Amino acid sequence: MGSTRLPGTPRLLRALNDRAALELLLTRGPLTRAQLGELTGLSKVTASQLVERLEERGLVTRVGEQAGGRGPNAQLYAVRPGSAYVVGVDVSADRVVAACADITGKTVGQVEMSTKDTDDPVGVVHEAVMQAASDAHAPLASVRRVVLGTPGLVDPGSGDITFAFNLPRWHRGLLAALREDLHTPVVFENDTNLAACAEAEFGAAAGVDDFVLVWAGVGVGLAIVLGGRLHHGSSGAAGEIGYLPVPGVPVNRDQSRKSQPPFGQLAGAAALRAVAREHGFRGGSAADAIRATIAAGTEGGPALDEIARRLALGVASTCVVLDPPLVVLAGEVGQAGGTALAERVQHEVAAITLVSPKVVVTQVDEEPVLRGALLTALDAVRDDVFGSTTS
């Protein structure tokens, strides 16, 4: 019996080697052919062929020389930034922020626009994406993916928005309209989930496989990461803890969902600002009021304790089901409360349940949703571009 031949094996090996080399160039910066050979375990000849292949496809470029001993200087190669671009978009009730990044992950264009007084979400997103790409000097045809972070539910099956409390004009059918308008893949993702992606890459959850991120702002939301992957649930509603029934707050059966849900009424920004005000601390926002309580030292303790108790109800309900080792507090309230609030929430959860997760404040201070959108887009586009390096 003759040996079994695996069709396409050399092609597959080339693709794997090419992908490994591109990832090395992204993480380690410019490298020579010899360095790529050493790091990938390839021979000098194979490494040279690999670089030529990637150069021909426009994925790597020469960026300089490295002086050596005897003989000519070695050429340095890097991933060509302009081989592909992505755009991340953070959409909220009053603004949209869009950023354009090249395939290396460098943000090269960003724009912020108001969403007030507009009935045309497609037009607003279109303008923001176009301006971000223009700011980056990126041809629209080279923008390979747009990821939009939005509050509310995203259907895991269709990818469309099914409900957004703060964005009543966002509705089913919007995804198809945006894809047709922009002529590029467009993806919706829940904003809190994207913040968790940024936290896992850059922040307090780096290197942690299982954690939850609590977004405490106008409303209260939650992102669940299990085994290093986001958990969306069957309908995309995993983490919508604003709808958690809590003692002392009437359960609203309004099918239109126009009113603030129970836990949102107890622990949303308006409620927490009211708690601070009742204790004599005022501010233009919940975050300002919480910062005032912290600045007051021991005098602000009772207000901060009550705020922590309210947030801990949602955290505890989540943690007795999932039992994660880590909880990250994010959003305007989480950031403003800092370590003082996180430690109080941690203590309260341990006091009222059988679990005692570590509760920490976010370490992604600026534009976490936007950064998560760019990360998500880059992961997909790199798979697409780098995964098709052999013809």
Side-chain angles (χ1 to χ4, degrees), residues 28 48 50 61 78 142 184 201 253 264 268-269 274 282 311 319 340 378:
R28 300 212 176 194
S48 292
L50 177 152
T61 186
S142 66
T184 195
E201 182 73 16
R253 292 179 170 80
R282 298 181 178 275
L311 288 171
C319 290
L378 282 167

Side-chain angles (χ1 to χ4, degrees), residues 181-273:
D181 177 73
L182 294 170
H183 304 290
T184 195
V186 178
V187 175
F188 286 138
E189 179 58 273
N190 175 267
D191 52 2
T192 304
N193 285 345
L194 291 177
C197 292
E199 202 72 49
E201 182 73 16
F202 306 114
V208 181
D209 286 339
D210 299 334
F211 72 95
V212 297
L213 180 140
V214 178
W215 186 273
V218 175
V220 189
L222 182 86
I224 302 165
V225 176
L226 299 174
R229 300 174 66 88
L230 282 169
H231 178 71
H232 294 88
S234 62
S235 65
E240 291 293 332
I241 59 169
Y243 289 88
L244 184 72
V246 288
V249 180
V251 175
N252 192 326
R253 292 179 170 80
D254 176 14
Q255 295 301 310
S256 67
R257 298 174 180 166
K258 292 180 180 178
S259 59
Q260 182 81 304
F263 188 55
Q265 293 180 48
L266 185 76
L272 300 185
R273 185 182 176 192

Side-chain angles (χ1 to χ4, degrees), residues 126-379:
H126 172 92
E127 188 63 24
V129 170
M130 295 294 286
Q131 286 194 27
S134 175
D135 194 33
H137 303 291
L140 194 60
S142 66
V143 175
R144 300 287 292 266
R145 181 168 290 241
V146 177
V147 173
L148 291 97
T150 173
L153 304 186
V154 178
D155 187 316
S158 68
D160 223 333
I161 293 174
T162 57
F163 173 71
F165 180 82
N166 293 328
L167 299 170
R169 298 181 184 89
W170 291 66
H171 50 76
R172 287 185 185 273
L174 191 56
L175 182 63
L178 283 169
R179 286 174 173 170
E180 183 178 353
D181 177 73
L182 294 170
H183 304 290
T184 195
V186 178
V187 175
F188 286 138
E189 179 58 273
N190 175 267
D191 52 2
T192 304
N193 285 345
L194 291 177
C197 292
E199 202 72 49
E201 182 73 16
F202 306 114
V208 181
D209 286 339
D210 299 334
F211 72 95
V212 297
L213 180 140
V214 178
W215 186 273
V218 175
V220 189
L222 182 86
I224 302 165
V225 176
L226 299 174
R229 300 174 66 88
L230 282 169
H231 178 71
H232 294 88
S234 62
S235 65
E240 291 293 332
I241 59 169
Y243 289 88
L244 184 72
V246 288
V249 180
V251 175
N252 192 326
R253 292 179 170 80
D254 176 14
Q255 295 301 310
S256 67
R257 298 174 180 166
K258 292 180 180 178
S259 59
Q260 182 81 304
F263 188 55
Q265 293 180 48
L266 185 76
L272 300 185
R273 185 182 176 192
V275 169
R277 186 170 59 248
E278 289 168 4
H279 286 80
F281 300 100
R282 298 181 178 275
S285 65
D288 290 339
I290 290 170
R291 279 189 283 266
T293 67
I294 294 172
T298 55
E299 290 183 11
L304 207 56
D305 288 343
E306 174 60 20
I307 289 169
R309 278 193 290 268
R310 293 187 177 209
L311 288 171
L313 287 175
V315 175
S317 298
T318 300
C319 290
V320 294
V321 175
L322 299 174
D323 194 15
L326 179 70
V327 176
V328 180
L329 290 186
E332 62 171 290
V333 168
Q335 284 186 305
T339 302
L341 180 60
E343 288 178 348
R344 281 171 166 83
V345 172
Q346 177 174 311
H347 176 78
E348 181 68 11
V349 171
I352 64 176
T353 70
L354 296 175
V355 297
S356 53
K358 184 175 181 59
V359 181
V360 300
V361 65
T362 177
Q363 292 179 7
V364 183
D365 297 328
E366 296 184 5
E367 303 290 0
V369 176
L370 188 66
R371 295 179 74 179
L374 289 172
L375 275 173
T376 302
L378 282 167
D379 282 347

